[in-house]
Amino acid sequence: MLSGKTILVGITGGIAAYKICELIRMYKRANANVLIVCTPNALNFVTKLTLQNLSQNEVAVEEFDVKDFKPEHISYADCADIMVIAPATANTISKIAAGMCDNLLTSIACAFTKPVIVAPAMNCNMWENPVVQDNLHKLHYEILEPESGYLACGYEGKGRLCSLEKIFDKTVELLNYKPLNGKKIVITSGGTIEDIDPVRYISNYSSGKMGLALADTAKNLGADVALITTKDVSRKYNVIKVKSALDMKSAVEKEFEDADCVIMAAAVADYRVKEIASQKIKKTCDDEISLTLVKNPDILKEISSRKTRQIVVGFCAESENLIENAKEKIRKKGCDYLIANDISRKDIGFSSDYNEVTILDKNGNMKKLEKVDKMTIAHKIFEEIYG
Ligand code: CTP
């Protein structure tokens, strides 16, 4: 994905520095050349040896270790395509904003003319300090704001380094790697809502997070995205809000003809109420009432039978016999790929940010992806489909 690109990773002295080891691996897996520059304090949190092994390059810390007859900071600034400062401490942010060049990292930043990503991480009170905020706004860089949560210092608040996938995706986006350019990708997400009467409905626990991760990833990779979802989503790409399985079917059919790929990540209700009551159903003296349900169309099966050039991908939620049921499902539905996930596990799947899936293809191949966040799964799905 990133072959031919040189990424200069600037690591500063914050506890989140240890997370950058994994970011380096992600860049390397995508075939980038990774150069690393650390502030002296960063090496209190990660070792030079670890970073050198992961990047397979020397790690630079000192300013005047001159090689190839150019000052170190200028040769780094010249040869990298992008600089990613993560984690960025309040101290480094403020120094760069002031134009200070008191170590190799700040000197490179000052001399760097290509895109720079800054991913701050710090204590929440430091983050909220108006001086830090002012300095941050002085930087005309891509700022990936920290997330809220439990902080290493024991506080709860905004200050955690944003997800590595966000940093990775932004790097890819800024380097203009668009492997899905010119492709129209249609994705469904969320659980459908089947009305019973004006105040009640039947639905399911699907959060829509997997579909959204797929749509965001497809967009970052250059695709023309249509996200058909039951959830409220605000994005710059085409978002089509639907409610029931029948609504979703019409929307999918409308987008299908000129699509290159359709991914059905939605949890579509298999049945709907036969007759939706036009008024609220009142309580009676009976202890039981019955609802008659009728079968919804199987959208995935129908589009799979009509596909010409489109690649059709289904999801399969199972609470038991995952692989057995998935193999049967891909055969019955006739799709090209099926992403199988085990919904009996509480730590993954519905409403979690993580998932562990197995990708099956129509030729009987299977690939298991260990538990990772949904953005990474989305990446791997597109890698599997488009190589
Ligand atoms: N699906 C669909 N239309 C339906 C039901 C499901 O398009 N009426 C799609 C889902 O979006 C998903 C795939 O089919 O991509 C599998 O959904 P799943 O709920 O696992 O399977 P079902 O076909 O509903 O079978 P079962 O509920 O019996 O497991």
Side-chain angles (χ1 to χ4, degrees):
M1 228 190 241
L2 294 172
S3 6
K5 301 290 182 192
T6 296
I7 300 169
L8 176 60
V9 179
I11 307 176
T12 74
I15 180 69
Y18 80 93
K19 297 182 180 172
I20 304 310
C21 297
E22 189 52 39
L23 180 67
I24 296 164
R25 294 187 68 210
M26 290 164 78
Y27 288 145
K28 290 297 285 182
R29 274 201 298 268
N31 288 329
N33 177 32
V34 180
L35 301 175
I36 298 173
V37 55
C38 290
T39 60
N41 277 338
L43 295 180
N44 291 324
F45 297 94
V46 271
T47 72
K48 224 174 175 180
L49 187 66
T50 310
L51 298 171
Q52 258 157 213
N53 271 291
L54 292 173
S55 67
Q56 285 162 15
N57 271 319
E58 245 176 73
V59 171
V61 185
E62 300 301 332
E63 173 85 279
F64 299 108
D65 179 16
V66 180
K67 288 196 193 76
D68 60 22
F69 308 106
K70 251 192 186 182
E72 194 89 323
H73 60 283
I74 303 300
S75 45
Y76 272 100
D78 283 352
C79 69
D81 299 293
I82 192 165
M83 183 172 187
V84 179
I85 307 176
T89 56
N91 185 39
T92 293
I93 289 168
S94 301
K95 286 197 286 188
I96 297 174
M100 285 174 70
C101 302
D102 65 339
N103 62 35
L104 183 57
L105 191 151
T106 51
S107 305
I108 296 173
C110 189
F112 206 77
T113 53
K114 283 160 272 180
V116 179
I117 296 173
V118 173
M122 63 194 75
N123 163 272
C124 49
N125 292 335
M126 293 171 85
W127 171 254
E128 277 159 22
N129 186 323
V131 176
V132 175
Q133 287 298 318
D134 275 357
N135 287 334
L136 195 68
H137 290 117
K138 278 188 202 150
L139 303 178
H140 297 288
Y141 296 153
E142 276 291 338
I143 310 294
L144 298 178
E145 291 214 354
E147 291 172 1
S148 297
Y150 177 73
L151 306 176
C153 54
Y155 280 71
E156 192 93 33
K158 194 166 176 179
R160 285 163 59 116
L161 185 75
C162 69
S163 78
L164 300 181
E165 284 63 41
K166 230 184 216 168
I167 305 176
F168 182 88
D169 282 358
K170 187 50 81 181
T171 312
V172 171
E173 186 190 321
L174 294 182
L175 287 173
N176 226 8
Y177 172 72
K178 305 284 179 197
L180 299 185
N181 230 340
K183 299 219 184 304
K184 176 174 171 180
I185 313 271
V186 178
I187 294 155
T188 67
S189 87
T192 62
I193 295 170
E194 310 298 332
D195 278 343
I196 297 172
D197 68 13
V199 293
R200 304 179 179 97
Y201 61 83
I202 299 172
S203 192
N204 56 64
Y205 290 116
S206 171
S207 64
K209 285 182 179 173
M210 189 65 239
L212 187 59
L214 282 159
D216 285 348
T217 304
K219 179 69 196 166
N220 287 341
L221 298 178
D224 168 18
V225 174
L227 174 67
I228 300 168
T229 179
T230 59
K231 305 287 176 188
D232 286 318
V233 171
S234 163
R235 287 293 191 275
K236 284 196 180 132
Y237 49 76
N238 184 15
V239 176
I240 303 152
K241 176 99 191 272
V242 293
K243 190 172 171 189
S244 66
L246 292 181
D247 293 343
M248 185 169 276
K249 180 174 183 274
S250 321
V252 170
E253 281 172 348
K254 220 159 132 200
E255 300 296 327
F256 182 71
E257 289 315 321
D258 62 344
D260 294 279
C261 175
V262 181
I263 306 181
M264 289 288 305
V268 185
D270 291 329
Y271 294 90
R272 67 181 182 276
V273 177
K274 188 172 182 190
E275 273 170 39
I276 301 170
S278 58
Q279 302 300 331
K280 184 182 173 202
I281 300 171
K282 300 299 286 177
K283 182 162 57 188
T284 65
C285 43
D286 296 331
D287 284 342
E288 287 182 5
I289 63 162
S290 301
L291 285 174
T292 305
L293 303 179
V294 291
K295 210 172 207 165
N296 270 328
D298 190 321
I299 309 169
L300 179 63
K301 196 170 173 184
E302 285 188 19
I303 58 170
S304 295
S305 70
R306 282 175 35 203
K307 69 188 163 71
T308 48
R309 67 200 173 87
Q310 295 89 345
I311 296 171
V312 177
V313 184
F315 267 72
C316 142
E318 301 293 343
S319 56
E320 56 183 355
N321 305 329
L322 180 69
I323 299 301
E324 228 170 275
N325 286 335
K327 282 182 179 166
E328 177 65 7
K329 223 170 246 182
I330 194 169
R331 194 188 57 74
K332 273 194 355 214
K333 304 247 183 186
C335 52
D336 300 291
Y337 294 91
L338 194 72
I339 319 297
N341 67 307
D342 180 351
I343 53 163
S344 67
R345 283 181 47 186
K346 290 278 168 285
D347 59 328
I348 55 170
F350 278 172
S351 73
S352 165
D353 289 326
Y354 293 84
N355 212 345
E356 184 182 292
V357 301
T358 302
I359 304 177
L360 291 86
D361 73 17
K362 61 181 177 194
N363 302 319
N365 301 310
M366 278 198 289
K367 185 181 265 185
K368 183 167 181 210
L369 307 181
E370 296 307 329
K371 182 181 164 186
V372 273
D373 60 276
K374 289 182 174 175
M375 284 300 266
T376 306
I377 301 240
H379 267 284
K380 291 192 182 294
I381 291 171
F382 286 117
E383 248 171 62
E384 193 62 29
I385 300 173
Y386 287 109

